[in-house]
Amino acid sequence: MGGARTRLPTVVVLTALPVEYEAVRRHLKDVREVGSRQGTRFDVGRISGLDWQIALAETGPTNTRAALITQHAVDHFTAAAVFFVGVAAALKDNLRLGDVVVASKIYSYHGGRESEDGFSARPVAWEPAYDMDQLVRSACRNGPWSFLAPAPHPSAQPDVRFEPLTSGDVLIDWRDSETVRRIRRHYNDAVAVDMESHGAAQAARMHHGVHMLTVRGISDFADGEKAVADARGSQRTASRHAAAFALRVLRDLRPAGQPPPSTADEEPPRRPAAVVVTGPGRDTGRKTWESQPVVEAGGQEYLLYEGPGDLLHESRDGDVVRRQARARLVPDRNTRGTYVWLRQVELLRPERGSGLTPLSALEREAELCRDFRGPEVVYLGRQRNTATLALEWPADAKSGRPLDTLRELLPEPSAPPDPLRLHLTVQGLAAVAELLGRLHGKGCSHRALRPTAVVMDRPRMVLRDLGLAAVPPRPGENAGPYQAPEQRHGAAVRPGPATDVYQLGALLQHAVTGRPPAPGLPPYRPAGSVPPRLAQAVVDALQQDPAARPGIRDLRLELLAAARELPLVR
């Protein structure tokens, strides 16, 4: 027999009930059963797109059981993190059935001293580590995450709350009980209550470097109607939503560390493992990218990232289906986990004739990217009536996560621009103007600039793709608030380099006013709070007549000069 293998990092996710267990179990592939030395049975498998295996178990209720199973599960799998996923009862009236509560703090409501003076609380609380806190906040901001648990209609989409939760060993189904009154008196910021989270948190805390997170779906209101709500399927819905969000956080989790060699009897996992104990199912019948967490192209799997904006989008124009998404190339032994801007064109009927077709246009863009020396082509392929292009998406050197787009810097409507954000925007768009100048030098124009088309690769900004550079202009292209006048139907002037100038001006107007230009509304008028040089650059770029706009190089110089004049908050 060979020597012992080194076990890879593990994420342990536990839940208490069979309905929670079954919800996650439906996501697993290549499942095998593994028994620990203490007798706990785990279903170990994988979820497409995640970098580790999942070990699924059921603890049963109470904090004591949760603590014991967490303790030996962490030891058995050399876990890097513990997730507890399940249902909870709401303590606040602003929660709905199916909403998700991620615990920003876990209280043990039994801690205290009972005397003739009454009960005096001795609070015991646990909070997630800062990096886990940030993962949760990012997942809440960058929704939707419903592709794992699709709602039947938009109004049924659950809210996600990152707020305190309290935990004890009493099954609460009466809001006027002494236990609930005690919780309100001593832990009044808690929005929900469960029976396992504090035990799991305490056990995880005993292991250095092991993260812990509780994700709960609201299944009842602790109002005496728990049995009725459960009979109507509230636990199943709450479990599905909780597991969906937990898997959304797991997608971005990066376990670290060098675990010791395994001494377990069974074959250790060949990839990192995650112990999960409950969750939802996924509708595999739908074929749109919006409903699939992972897609396959050219023999590689890509993990899709949600919006905002058009960062996950699918559209159909006649017999042509176009899909695009920010994605991550799922690593295997031969590839690294590169982030990409993934685009695909599918023809529902065979191509007819020759020349520039929708499929060949995508291939033409790849050629332009190579000539342009960016964005880097990660994959280009055609299979029958489908062409796929993956361009490298920049990643943050410290966190390893995909960089945000310009959309994250732009202010809300009527909000005054933040000086630092405005400076970064103007300086970044000056870099984009330089890239566009190089593109114009090759006889092409982008013509599809919008906030999500510009990636914040600080201190510069870069283009996620070359827009419409590979196809000839056509009336109505680039519909939306950043469409130049010459791109509209009936325009007498052909779109070209001046179109890019207008669209840069539209992005700048959004940066200084909170709103992009809109047809039918008065043109941009400088406000006193905007430095004169920047205001004039915006006015010049937004001229209705393309011939009256400055060239891209002149606009770039004006933006660089305007950036130097902008006040900075340091």
Side-chain angles (χ1 to χ4, degrees), residues 122 177 182 217 224 336 355 369 384 390 471 491 519 539:
R122 294 181 174 178
S177 68
R182 180 180 298 171
R336 58 193 177 96
C369 287
R384 296 181 181 178
V471 297
V539 170

Side-chain angles (χ1 to χ4, degrees), residues 132-174:
M132 185 66 79
D133 173 291
Q134 291 299 295
L135 278 181
V136 173
R137 295 181 188 276
S138 174
C140 292
R141 286 195 306 268
N142 297 325
W145 46 271
S146 57
F147 58 80
L148 286 171
H153 48 81
S155 63
Q157 182 63 49
D159 289 333
V160 182
R161 310 280 291 275
F162 190 37
E163 298 194 47
L165 175 146
T166 187
S167 183
D169 288 342
V170 176
L171 180 61
I172 296 175
D173 193 25
W174 183 31

Side-chain angles (χ1 to χ4, degrees), residues 2-55:
R5 299 182 185 178
T6 300
R7 185 177 295 280
L8 296 173
T10 300
V11 175
V12 176
V13 186
L14 302 173
T15 56
L17 304 177
V19 65
E20 302 164 344
Y21 176 93
E22 290 300 327
V24 173
R25 177 63 175 78
R26 295 169 58 190
H27 286 288
L28 298 185
K29 299 180 179 179
D30 305 328
V31 178
R32 59 192 176 90
E33 189 176 66
V34 172
S36 72
R37 291 178 177 175
Q38 290 78 9
T40 305
R41 310 303 296 179
F42 297 92
D43 273 348
V44 178
R46 67 183 185 89
I47 295 177
S48 295
L50 299 187
D51 291 342
W52 43 75
Q53 294 184 82
I54 304 296

Side-chain angles (χ1 to χ4, degrees), residues 105-314:
K105 184 184 297 183
I106 299 172
Y107 294 113
S108 172
Y109 64 73
H110 280 123
R113 178 177 182 269
E114 196 85 54
S115 69
E116 62 181 0
D117 296 327
F119 180 84
S120 299
R122 294 181 174 178
V124 178
W126 169 91
E127 296 182 16
Y130 178 73
D131 52 353
M132 185 66 79
D133 173 291
Q134 291 299 295
L135 278 181
V136 173
R137 295 181 188 276
S138 174
C140 292
R141 286 195 306 268
N142 297 325
W145 46 271
S146 57
F147 58 80
L148 286 171
H153 48 81
S155 63
Q157 182 63 49
D159 289 333
V160 182
R161 310 280 291 275
F162 190 37
E163 298 194 47
L165 175 146
T166 187
S167 183
D169 288 342
V170 176
L171 180 61
I172 296 175
D173 193 25
W174 183 31
R175 284 202 182 182
D176 199 33
S177 68
E178 178 57 35
T179 300
V180 173
R181 288 198 295 269
R182 180 180 298 171
I183 291 172
R184 287 174 177 166
R185 187 161 55 246
H186 300 290
Y187 313 102
N188 57 28
D189 57 342
V191 302
V193 58
D194 72 19
M195 299 176 63
E196 300 86 20
S197 292
H198 194 264
Q202 288 290 81
R205 179 185 288 175
M206 296 173 64
H207 300 266
H208 177 71
V210 175
H211 292 308
M212 195 277 173
L213 191 70
T214 281
V215 184
R216 296 285 180 169
I218 298 301
S219 62
D220 66 88
F221 298 107
D223 58 358
E225 298 294 326
K226 174 177 170 55
V228 175
D230 290 351
R232 291 174 178 171
S234 65
Q235 284 191 337
R236 184 174 295 105
T237 299
S239 298
R240 187 169 67 247
H241 292 172
F245 190 78
L247 295 178
R248 169 64 178 81
V249 176
L250 275 173
R251 188 192 68 182
D252 287 339
L253 186 65
R254 298 289 181 269
Q258 299 294 327
S262 170
T263 58
D265 296 334
E266 81 282 358
E267 177 87 352
R270 296 186 178 182
R271 303 182 68 189
V275 184
V276 186
V277 188
T278 144
R282 170 163 62 96
D283 182 358
T284 57
R286 298 177 61 189
K287 298 300 182 183
T288 62
W289 277 14
E290 289 97 331
S291 64
Q292 299 184 75
V294 177
V295 297
E296 188 275 337
Q300 292 287 340
E301 287 186 326
Y302 295 87
L303 177 65
L304 303 186
Y305 278 59
E306 308 88 5
D310 64 345
L311 294 181
L312 177 58
H313 182 67
E314 183 164 327

Side-chain angles (χ1 to χ4, degrees), residues 474-485:
R474 67 171 187 171
E477 67 180 17
N478 191 46
Y482 303 94
Q483 184 185 53

